[in-house]
Amino acid sequence: MGHGTNRVEDMASPNNGTTAPATANARETIVEIHSVCLPPKKTAFQKLKKRFGDVFFPDDPLERFRNQTWRNRVILCLQSLFPIFTWGSQYDLKLLRSDVVSGLTIASLAIPQGISYAKLANLPPIVGLYSSFVPPLIYSVLGSSKHLAVGPVSIASLVMGSMLSESVSPTQDSILYLKLAFTSTFFAGLFQASLGLLRLGFVIDFLSKPTLIGFTAGAAVIVSLQQLKGLLGIVHFTGKMQFIPVMSSVFSHRSEWSWETILMGLGFLAILLTTRHISMRKPKLFWISAASPLASVVISTLLVFLIRNKTHAISFIGHLPKGLNPPSSNMLYFSGTHLALAIKTGIITGILSLTEGIAVGRTFASLKNYQVNGNKEMMAIGFMNMAGSCTSCYVTTGSFSRSAVNYNAGAKTAVSNIVMASAVLVTLLFLMPLFYYTPNLILAAIILTAVIGLIDYQAAYKLWKVDKFDFFTCMCSFFGVLLVSVPLGLAIAVGVSVLKILLHVTRPNTLEFGNIQGTQIYQSVKRYREASRIPGFLILAVESPIYFANSTYLQERILRWTREEEARIKENNGSTLKCIILDMTAVSSIDTNGIEALFELRRRLEKQSLQLVLVNPVGSVMEKLHKSKIIESLGLSGLYLTVGEAVADLSSTWKAHGQP
Amino acid sequence: MGHGTNRVEDMASPNNGTTAPATANARETIVEIHSVCLPPKKTAFQKLKKRFGDVFFPDDPLERFRNQTWRNRVILCLQSLFPIFTWGSQYDLKLLRSDVVSGLTIASLAIPQGISYAKLANLPPIVGLYSSFVPPLIYSVLGSSKHLAVGPVSIASLVMGSMLSESVSPTQDSILYLKLAFTSTFFAGLFQASLGLLRLGFVIDFLSKPTLIGFTAGAAVIVSLQQLKGLLGIVHFTGKMQFIPVMSSVFSHRSEWSWETILMGLGFLAILLTTRHISMRKPKLFWISAASPLASVVISTLLVFLIRNKTHAISFIGHLPKGLNPPSSNMLYFSGTHLALAIKTGIITGILSLTEGIAVGRTFASLKNYQVNGNKEMMAIGFMNMAGSCTSCYVTTGSFSRSAVNYNAGAKTAVSNIVMASAVLVTLLFLMPLFYYTPNLILAAIILTAVIGLIDYQAAYKLWKVDKFDFFTCMCSFFGVLLVSVPLGLAIAVGVSVLKILLHVTRPNTLEFGNIQGTQIYQSVKRYREASRIPGFLILAVESPIYFANSTYLQERILRWTREEEARIKENNGSTLKCIILDMTAVSSIDTNGIEALFELRRRLEKQSLQLVLVNPVGSVMEKLHKSKIIESLGLSGLYLTVGEAVADLSSTWKAHGQP
């Protein structure tokens, strides 16, 4: 060998001459060979610590505390626990004015939506208002988003309603149902807060965007179908959620359809959709769509009040109790047959509402260029729900539609949530009797208007264009939710996403590389026409970690590449194949199965008088190759830093030995 | 920009000048810039076809049929269905002699092992002999391994015994138990054959080597513990398999221990272990360990026969029916309460025996340098078990210990299996009464000797040294099997392995690259001391596909790299950071979440006046970047083929614009 030093050098030992020019006498060209280094030595504990840090503390939360006085550290700690301390001291009248305007705007939306969403969850309407009072107050102290408008949301309400009512009837067993709803809320909060505390926030990353697009659209369709009850005036409606039973229930109860309800419902629906359309086209007119639900509630209530003696076809809310949230901690339910159901419902609504809350928070934070800390948000939302479950609230989170209105109305800080909560407080204390004649149809129309915007067909079309597999995931999620059930549809979509990752690892790409003439660049011969094969070499790039799941496949695939290359050479009368170069740049990890596959591959290639050369293994791979002694078994000319150096060095060695 | 042409060129369009030398007037050095190509255009169908081929036909099974006459194709087809046609025509007397010697050798091992393993599965001993007769005959026609010795094996017997006896008592409900055993065998065969037919052979790759090492060791301990019943002469033994109940059962029945049994058992155990040790040290003396079980059976049977009137403490097999396998297709059980159990047992024993059979086949094929086709082997083993379930056999596969003896005894083809089956036939027809006085303790000693070799502590130690995580998987599997249950232990270990893949994708490595002076090589600055950072640039390499599961993390991590780099520059008074270069060489795939994360990253970096540049995206990634229009949004100087070209081109542009 031209270069005398062992090229596998240890960073711990003195390492002066890493580049060893080959002795020129035996070779035509002078080849500069760089050694492949081992990564700096680390103990198993250090590695574990780094890995642990990567998994749980990717944001390096203690970074800010370094190089600070103790006093500053205490302040920073308080600020990070209660973000209100960050902006509270700079709060002034100008900010307050913006927050009052936006707070009142979202209150006018939150009150009718709160009542409507509670009905979606099969809960008494008043629970929706309770849930718009306590949680926003808690969030304004703990949360780090400035624009998130907190309260009940459609998806979580729907999921809770559908999951609980499968086992317990909300009309016959209303007390038990209420207990289960609060218990689920408690577990949702506990789950959310634990994810944040244990820094397991990455769990929500497994709900990919395509999954969520499909899921949201599916849920929106289900929610819309449920509104047919209110819009058509049907009394005996199915308790099921899936497409087919709901449609058959709608048409089998045609005798219950009431033309007055339908007429009035469609009228208000048209008004609400028009105002929504106007606001979407001109964001400055956001107040039109923000005010229209409350206006519709007022007008429709008046209408029903006026015709109350003429017709009884239009159903209305009826009596609502006055007063603030009653405590409900005595209604939490920690034993008994339905506990498992409550925990399951809690986890699923918890993760869905968390995903929505964090996505909405991040969207608006990114628009105004500030940071929302995922783990901290999880704790804020979690504590808010745990507190909510003790004060007659059900699952709440940041709502997309109300947050958008909040943002457009000029909200500056979380004070807008406090203003909203105050408006709800006034409503709860004094205005409840006014809702007596509010017709159910208007609640249905409000929900329909809100959820129709969640069906994002344009996003689905873009998925189809860019990534067919993502579109497939999206469709799995959509039809799973629509035809099977909400949690199962979600599970199917997550399963499909994970399967994609596994499939990618199980069947990784291997590419044949060639040299782009006049350069040291090696690229795929299929993709770059100017890349040409080097006679005597087969250069393969493996595009995946080498794991148990693909080690056998890769070994067989590389042997097949060799067979095919030899057949090609035979056809073209080229020079015989002598060396297989494996470019390991993209092999980000290897396990013991992978190492064994490399050993076996080398053994089988040697039987065919072919040499195996590894190029540029990354740090962790290099370390394992070193520990398993495969480097030694490959010999001095079995490891190079670049493909170019390997080709140059090996060809000149062959020439020196008089081989063609 | 110095180079006028759009550098994102389409391979479909004529592409003459891919290298565009930069105009020298504005720059100090002439930078040669290579364009990044899109991969050749493919329709969605072509891509799906390629993907499908990669997943299901990685070995390109039709390769051999190309360029052949129809007659040859028919012959090749017959040969691939029945490998016996491949070697049958060249079979001669010399080969036969070798096969007869090895066949008789493995028969002397197979008969006592068959009886013993059947007891392990709680089946009548005779079923073990039946299973050593029909399946080897079928395998010799269908199988492609020359050295595999087929018959019952310890692991599959243990798993079947433990899973079935949890629900059905083998002593009280012996007929139902037998029915379930045959039905499980049928489903095991069906499952194995389907995996082969559907070319889903990669499923067994998910049982990684560390999982199998741990599982086998755990199962060996469990099997050994079960032998305490026979070795101590205990009559009332627990039906459970786990470590704790077995040990407590052993010590609570101390009164049943029989010293005669213990003495004789330990004596024979010592003999068997000694002969095994001798054969392991000198492989030429393989016949010593191969002959010792049968010899021990003969001697111990004689001993018991001689002292039959003096003591009744030593239990023996008793009456065994003479005659060939009775048909059992009428005992298959396709409805009723236990069907699910039978299917579950079938799938688990099926996959375990498949893994063992294929691993053993591959090991010996690799030693003699011939190919064993995984999918074909699966079909062979599957059909053998389906036929077995109709002829009173239970699950069989290639046994490691007997195949090793077969190999050492000089077996040349599958005819040695036929010879073995003939020897079993003679035994079944004429020699059964001779086993009347065979003591149970000798069966226990034979099993113990066989399974002790399966505890591969050296392999476990090597795992610890090379890969801590693989060692952890191995321990999960070992303790899971030992303390929880066989299928659950296996499931835990597979779960842990899959979790590792997901974790690796969820938290991928990012490295900071620097230039090795005087070269175009860019490498990790932490690993290569001679690699130095380039002022104004932050060069990051991402070592994983960018998926939904890591897109948020990567985005945050890259922004943190930027913050840290800026802090470092501030400390050292370096030149301001202007550009982030992402080396995408190792990003083997991207999905829509990943693309969105790149968009968002670019947006956020731009707000800090930092440029984002992508380098060398692989084909499929390039395609998606192109479709999603991110390339256009990055601008002309946002995409390069190598890091070196990006650095050179951007620095000269900055210089031309008079920036420092």
Side-chain angles (χ1 to χ4, degrees), chain B residues 211-242:
Chain B
T211 308
L212 284 175
I213 292 171
F215 175 78
T216 315
V221 172
I222 290 186
V223 172
S224 307
L225 292 176
Q226 290 289 313
Q227 304 320 312
L228 292 176
K229 182 188 179 194
L231 276 183
L232 301 175
I234 297 171
V235 183
H236 300 95
F237 202 67
T238 173
K240 290 191 178 163
M241 293 280 167
Q242 290 89 335

Side-chain angles (χ1 to χ4, degrees), chain B residues 75-105:
Chain B
I75 294 176
L76 279 173
C77 189
L78 266 180
Q79 286 185 342
S80 75
L81 284 178
F82 304 101
I84 198 167
F85 285 111
T86 319
W87 49 267
S89 55
Q90 286 128 38
Y91 201 73
D92 58 20
L93 261 180
K94 209 180 134 202
L95 290 175
L96 181 64
R97 207 171 44 209
S98 304
D99 286 339
V100 167
V101 172
S102 53
L104 289 178
T105 314

Side-chain angles (χ1 to χ4, degrees), chain B residues 366-439:
Chain B
S366 151
L367 286 177
K368 285 279 175 188
N369 216 28
Y370 64 89
Q371 294 270 339
V372 165
N373 182 311
N375 286 310
K376 237 182 271 172
E377 278 294 283
M378 289 184 191
M379 282 193 270
I381 295 177
F383 285 129
M384 162 179 112
N385 277 321
M386 284 164 78
S389 70
C390 302
T391 53
S392 302
C393 306
Y394 78 107
V395 176
T396 50
T397 185
S399 137
F400 187 78
S401 56
R402 290 196 300 278
S403 299
V405 169
N406 198 25
Y407 177 83
N408 283 322
K412 292 284 182 284
T413 66
V415 169
S416 67
N417 270 315
I418 301 181
V419 174
M420 180 190 83
S422 314
V424 173
L425 171 77
V426 172
T427 312
L428 280 171
L429 288 180
F430 309 110
L431 309 180
M432 291 320 286
L434 299 182
F435 291 107
Y436 189 88
Y437 284 107
T438 302

